[in-house]
C-alpha cells in the first residue's frame, strides 16, 4: 500500500513540476548551447533558459527544482552556488554542469540568479489552489502506527545535507524511516495535537503534510514563492503560512485547502511587508504574526467566538462605537515603533518577546508586547543580537526567567519576567543560535555555532545556579541544536556537517550514549515536547 502511495506521489510531483514550468518549459533542453566566447559578456539569460529553466521555471520561481530568487538564496554563499552548479547535488535531480559549462559561465549564472526577476513573479490564490496535490487513498489509512515504538517519543530529524527527513525512535535511538523532503525546509515542523501528522514548510513555498503513523505524504500545496515558516493551530484544524514573496499570509484547512489570504500591509494599504514569522498561540486560539518591514504585530483568531476587531481608537467599546470587523479569522493589529524580526511567548501567552533589528548603526533591541492591551510594555535589556525565537523560559527562585542565545556575542542574558530586569549574564565561548532545556532537567544547553573558533562546543548551564557546569565538543566541527527526549533523560545534538550525526547524550552525566550517522542534521523535533509546548523547546 505504501509503495503504491509513494508511486502516486512521484507521479503527482512530476505533473506538478510540468505545471509550474508552463508552456515554454515543457520543451526539452535540446542540444548543448554554444560555449560563451573567451571574452566579452556571458549570455547568461540564454544559458539559464537552455540548462536551468526546465526545472527551475522561466521566472526562476521553481518547478521540479527549487526557486532561484534572491529571497530564496540568501543563505547560499556564492562559492556554494558555483559548487552546486558545477558538481550537482547528491540524491536530487540536480545534475553537474562542470563538464558542460566553463568556470566563467558558472560564475555568471551564480551571480545572475541572485538578481531580482523583472517583471516580478506573482503567485495568486488561483495558483495556490492549482498547485495542491492529494494522495489517493490516504484518508483510508489505519489510525495507528505501522511501526513499533512510542509515537509520542518520536524524533523528526531534518537532514539538510541531502534534503531528507529521518524518523528516530526516542527510546531505542534507532532509525524508523527515512524519506526525501522538499528543498531547504525552513522553520521547525509542526504537529497535529494527536501527533499523527506533521507539516513541513520549504523555503520555496511548499507545505507538505506527512502521515507519521503510515509513513507517507498525504497532501502538498505551494503557499508562495518564498516562505518563512508555517504554524498549525492548537486544535489541528488550521495551517498558516508566512510568506516573503508574495507579501502575505495564506490560511489553509488541515487538508491544505486554501481558505483565505491576508495581504501583509498597513491598514491604509500604503506599505507592504514580508512576514517575519507566524506562531500558534494555542491557549488564545489564535495565530500571532510579526511583520519584517512594518511595525505591526497581528493576532488572527480561529475562535468562532472571538471578540470583534476595532481598528484604531474608539470612545466607548460597550456602546459599540466605531465600525467593527469580525474577530473570527480577522487581523487584530498591535502598532509598534519598530518591526520585530522574530519572537516567542511567555508561558501564559499574554506577551510576545521579540528582537528589533538594527537600522544603520543602531544597536538591536528587544521588546515585550502585551497582546491583551495591544502595546509594548517593556524593553528587554539584552545587548548584541538576541535570537529570541530560540529562547527558553524556566522557573528560578520563585520567579520565571527567560534566557536567549545571542547571534553577536558570547553571552546569555537571563531576564526576570516580572520586572523585565537582568538577573545575570552568562558568558559562553562564542555567539550561538539555539538554546534548549526540559522541565524535567536541571540543565540548559546552548551552542556557539556562530563563532569561528567555538562552533564545536555546547555549553551546559545549571538552571539553579545560572552558571556553566560542563561542555561537550566535536573538535573543528559544528555542534548545535539540542532537543530532549520526552522524559528529559537524554539530550540529542546535531553534528552539523555533511558527514554529520545525531549524537545522543545522557542529560545528567553529559556522556555520549549513541551516534547515528546523518547528512547535516540541521534540526530534530520531539513529538511530545512540541505538542505539549514543553518549556524548554521552541513552539
Amino acid at each position: 500500500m505504501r509503495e503504491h502511495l509513494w508511486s502516486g506521489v512521484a507521479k503527482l510531483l512530476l505533473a506538478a513540476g510540468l505545471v509550474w514550468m508552463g508552456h515554454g518549459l515543457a520543451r526539452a533542453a535540446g542540444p548543448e548551447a554554444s560555449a560563451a566566447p573567451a571574452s566579452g559578456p556571458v549570455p547568461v539569460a540564454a544559458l539559464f533558459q537552455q540548462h536551468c529553466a526546465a526545472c527551475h521555471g522561466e521566472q526562476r520561481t521553481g518547478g521540479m527544482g527549487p526557486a532561484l530568487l534572491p529571497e530564496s538564496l540568501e543563505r547560499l554563499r556564492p562559492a556554494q552556488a558555483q559548487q552546486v552548479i558545477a558538481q550537482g547535488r547528491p540524491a536530487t535531480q540536480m545534475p553537474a554542469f562542470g563538464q558542460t559549462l566553463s568556470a566563467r559561465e558558472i560564475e555568471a549564472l551564480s551571480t545572475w540568479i541572485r538578481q531580482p526577476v523583472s517583471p516580478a513573479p506573482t503567485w495568486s490564490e488561483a495558483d495556490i489552489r492549482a498547485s495542491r496535490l492529494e494522495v489517493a487513498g490516504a484518508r483510508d489509512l489505519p489510525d495507528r502506527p505501522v511501526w513499533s515504538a512510542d509515537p509520542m517519543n518520536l524524533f523528526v530529524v531534518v537532514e539538510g545535507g541531502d534534503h531528507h527527513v529521518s524518523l528516530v525512535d526516542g527510546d531505542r535511538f534507532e532509525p524508523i524511516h527515512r524519506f526525501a523532503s522538499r528543498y531547504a525546509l525552513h522553520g521547525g515542523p509542526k504537529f497535529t495535537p494527536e501527533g499523527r501528522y506533521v507539516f513541513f514548510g520549504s523555503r520555496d513555498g511548499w507545505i507538505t503534510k506527512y502521515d507519521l503513523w503510515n509513513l507517507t505524504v498525504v497532501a502538498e500545496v505551494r503557499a508562495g514563492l518564498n516562505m518563512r515558516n508555517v504554524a498549525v493551530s492548537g486544535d489541528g484544524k488550521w495551517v498558516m503560512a508566512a510568506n516573503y514573496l508574495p507579501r502575505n499570509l495564506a490560511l489553509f484547512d488541515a487538508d491544505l485547502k486554501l481558505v483565505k489570504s491576508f495581504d501583509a500591509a498597513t491598514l491604509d494599504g500604503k506599505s507592504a511587508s514580508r512576514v517575519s514569522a507566524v506562531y500558534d498561540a494555542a491557549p488564545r486560539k489564535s495565530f500571532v504574526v510579526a511583520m519584517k518591514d512594518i511595525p505591526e504585530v497581528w493576532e488572527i483568531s480561529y475562535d468562532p467566538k472571538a471578540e470583534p476587531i476595532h481598528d484604531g481608537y474608539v470612545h466607548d467599546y460597550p456602546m459599540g462605537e466605531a465600525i467593527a470587523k469580525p474577530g473570527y479569522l480577522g487581523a487584530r493589529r498591535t502598532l509598534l515603533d519598530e518591526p520585530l524580526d522574530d519572537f516567542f511567548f511567555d508561558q501564559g501567552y499574554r506577551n510576545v518577546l521579540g528582537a528589533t533589528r538594527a537600522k544603520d548603526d543602531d544597536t538591536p533591541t528587544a521588546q515585550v508586547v502585551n497582546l491583551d492591551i495591544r502595546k509594548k510594555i517593556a524593553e528587554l535589556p539584552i545587548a548584541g543580537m538576541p535570537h529570541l525565537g530560540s529562547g527558553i523560559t524556566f522557573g528560578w527562585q520563585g520567579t520565571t526567567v527567560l534566557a536567549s542565545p545571542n547571534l553577536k556575542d558570547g553571552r546569555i542574558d537571563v531576564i526576570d519576567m516580572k520586572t523585565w530586569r537582568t538577573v545575570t549574564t552568562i558568558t559562553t565561548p562564542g555567539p550561538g543560535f539555539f538554546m534548549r532545556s526540559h522541565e524535567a532537567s536541571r540543565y540548559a544547553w546552548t551552542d556557539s555555532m556562530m563563532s569561528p573558533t567555538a562552533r564545536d562546543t555546547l555549553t551546559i548551564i545549571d538552571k539553579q545556579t545560572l552558571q556553566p557546569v560542563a561542555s561537550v565538543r566535536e573538535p573543528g566541527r559544528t555542534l548545535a541544536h539540542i532537543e530532549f527526549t520526552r522524559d528529559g533523560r537524554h539530550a540529542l545534538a546535531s553534528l552539523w556537517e555533511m558527514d554529520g550525526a545525531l549524537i545522543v547524550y545522557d542529560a545528567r552525566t553529559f556522556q555520549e550514549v549513541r551516534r547515528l550517522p546523518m547528512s547535516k542534521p540541521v534540526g530534530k523535533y520531539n513529538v511530545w515536547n512540541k505538542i505539549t509546548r514543553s518549556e524548554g523547546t521552541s513552539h
Side-chain angles (χ1 to χ4, degrees):
M1 180 65 168
R2 290 193 298 276
E3 289 78 4
H4 172 72
L5 288 170
W6 273 114
S7 176
V9 171
K11 292 177 181 177
L12 285 170
L13 293 179
L14 177 59
L18 293 175
V19 170
W20 312 145
M21 292 172 200
H23 174 74
L25 303 178
R27 61 183 182 271
E32 295 297 337
S34 300
S39 61
V42 174
V44 64
L47 288 174
F48 181 87
Q49 290 298 319
Q50 179 73 19
H51 299 288
C52 314
C55 287
H56 296 285
E58 286 186 338
Q59 284 194 297
R60 303 182 357 229
T61 56
M64 294 175 70
L68 299 179
L69 301 167
E71 299 91 339
S72 304
L73 301 173
E74 57 187 10
R75 292 191 177 184
L76 187 68
R77 294 190 293 272
Q80 293 176 309
Q82 294 177 39
Q83 181 180 354
V84 170
I85 296 171
Q87 301 178 15
R89 190 179 288 276
T92 73
Q93 296 184 50
M94 174 65 188
F97 288 96
Q99 300 299 316
T100 305
L101 302 175
S102 69
R104 197 163 70 95
E105 290 170 328
I106 290 173
E107 182 181 5
L109 273 172
S110 70
T111 300
W112 189 72
I113 60 176
R114 292 176 176 275
Q115 305 305 311
V117 173
S118 181
T122 60
W123 195 252
S124 67
E125 289 190 351
D127 293 322
I128 295 174
R129 291 188 172 97
S131 73
R132 182 178 176 274
L133 310 169
E134 182 174 350
V135 176
R139 295 175 183 269
D140 300 323
L141 291 170
D143 60 355
R144 60 188 180 279
V146 297
W147 35 269
S148 178
D150 179 1
M152 290 291 111
N153 200 23
L154 178 73
F155 283 87
V156 174
V157 186
V158 176
E159 298 184 61
D162 60 359
H163 308 289
H164 277 70
V165 173
S166 286
L167 308 181
V168 175
D169 181 344
D171 293 311
R172 295 187 289 264
F173 305 117
E174 296 176 352
I176 293 173
H177 187 60
R178 190 173 190 264
F179 58 94
S181 73
R182 287 282 178 177
Y183 172 80
L185 297 186
H186 183 70
K190 303 300 190 296
F191 302 88
T192 50
E194 80 291 342
R196 174 172 179 175
Y197 298 104
V198 60
F199 293 84
F200 300 98
S202 72
R203 187 64 97 164
D204 55 354
W206 283 96
I207 305 175
T208 301
K209 181 180 181 181
Y210 189 85
D211 185 338
L212 291 169
W213 293 0
N214 291 282
L215 306 180
T216 185
V217 171
V218 172
E220 288 194 305
V221 71
R222 193 174 192 183
L225 301 178
N226 184 251
M227 187 168 67
R228 186 64 179 169
N229 74 326
V230 297
V232 175
S233 63
D235 57 11
K237 295 180 179 179
W238 305 98
V239 180
M240 181 166 278
N243 285 322
Y244 271 15
L245 184 67
R247 297 187 171 195
N248 68 5
L249 293 151
L251 179 67
F252 301 86
D253 66 16
D255 294 321
L256 296 184
K257 295 177 181 177
L258 182 67
V259 176
K260 66 183 297 187
S261 61
F262 302 78
D263 289 333
T266 51
L267 189 60
D268 59 12
K270 293 181 178 180
S271 298
S273 176
R274 295 166 292 174
V275 184
S276 290
V278 57
Y279 296 117
D280 176 56
R284 303 177 66 89
K285 299 182 180 179
S286 66
F287 293 111
V288 177
V289 185
M291 301 295 172
K292 194 170 187 68
D293 305 302
I294 58 177
E296 296 185 6
V297 169
W298 292 9
E299 183 169 17
I300 299 174
S301 178
Y302 49 82
D303 183 355
K305 299 180 181 179
E307 294 292 326
I309 296 169
H310 297 266
D311 286 313
Y313 295 103
V314 297
H315 180 262
D316 191 338
Y317 279 98
M319 294 298 293
E321 297 182 21
I323 299 174
K325 299 177 182 177
Y328 179 58
L329 302 184
R332 193 181 306 271
R333 300 166 188 259
T334 295
L335 305 183
L336 306 172
D337 294 327
E338 298 289 343
L340 296 184
D341 249 0
D342 203 354
F343 65 92
F344 80 116
F345 301 101
D346 66 358
Q347 292 175 334
Y349 283 78
R350 295 182 64 242
N351 297 310
V352 162
L353 297 85
T356 299
R357 57 191 170 86
K359 284 186 176 180
D360 301 323
D361 295 329
D362 294 342
T363 301
T365 60
Q367 57 185 301
V368 183
V369 179
N370 186 284
L371 294 173
D372 292 333
I373 64 175
R374 294 164 60 190
K375 64 181 295 185
K376 184 179 81 171
I377 61 171
E379 293 252 355
L380 294 176
I382 302 178
M385 295 180 65
H387 189 232
L388 287 170
S390 289
I392 63 171
T393 62
F394 54 91
W396 178 79
Q397 295 189 5
T399 188
T400 300
V401 297
L402 74 89
S404 170
N406 200 297
L407 302 175
K408 182 180 179 181
D409 301 322
R411 55 187 290 166
I412 303 291
D413 288 301
V414 182
I415 308 295
D416 187 327
M417 298 182 71
K418 291 181 181 178
T419 65
W420 306 115
R421 295 178 180 174
T422 303
V423 172
T424 190
T425 297
I426 304 168
T427 301
T428 63
F433 202 88
F434 298 103
M435 189 172 188
R436 292 290 184 267
S437 187
H438 190 279
E439 54 267 23
S441 175
R442 177 170 175 160
Y443 304 105
W445 299 53
T446 189
D447 62 58
S448 295
M449 67 173 295
M450 310 303 291
S451 166
T453 57
R455 61 187 176 88
D456 57 4
T457 302
L458 290 175
T459 301
I460 302 163
I461 298 166
D462 188 318
K463 294 190 294 186
Q464 295 181 21
T465 66
L466 303 181
Q467 294 293 321
V469 294
S471 64
V472 295
R473 293 187 64 217
E474 286 288 319
R477 314 189 83 194
T478 301
L479 195 58
H481 196 277
I482 283 285
E483 176 68 295
F484 284 76
T485 50
R486 173 181 179 176
D487 58 11
R489 294 179 59 189
H490 293 90
L492 282 66
S494 291
L495 183 56
W496 201 304
E497 305 285 348
M498 294 297 289
D499 58 340
L502 193 67
I503 306 176
V504 183
Y505 298 97
D506 185 302
R508 291 166 291 188
T509 67
F510 320 134
Q511 298 300 306
E512 182 176 331
V513 174
R514 187 85 185 267
R515 182 174 296 225
L516 302 176
M518 291 192 180
S519 180
K520 199 176 185 180
V522 294
K524 71 213 68 65
Y525 309 89
N526 180 271
V527 171
W528 176 260
N529 291 343
K530 295 291 283 187
I531 66 177
T532 60
R533 302 186 298 279
S534 167
E535 72 174 20
T537 191
S538 61
H539 302 168

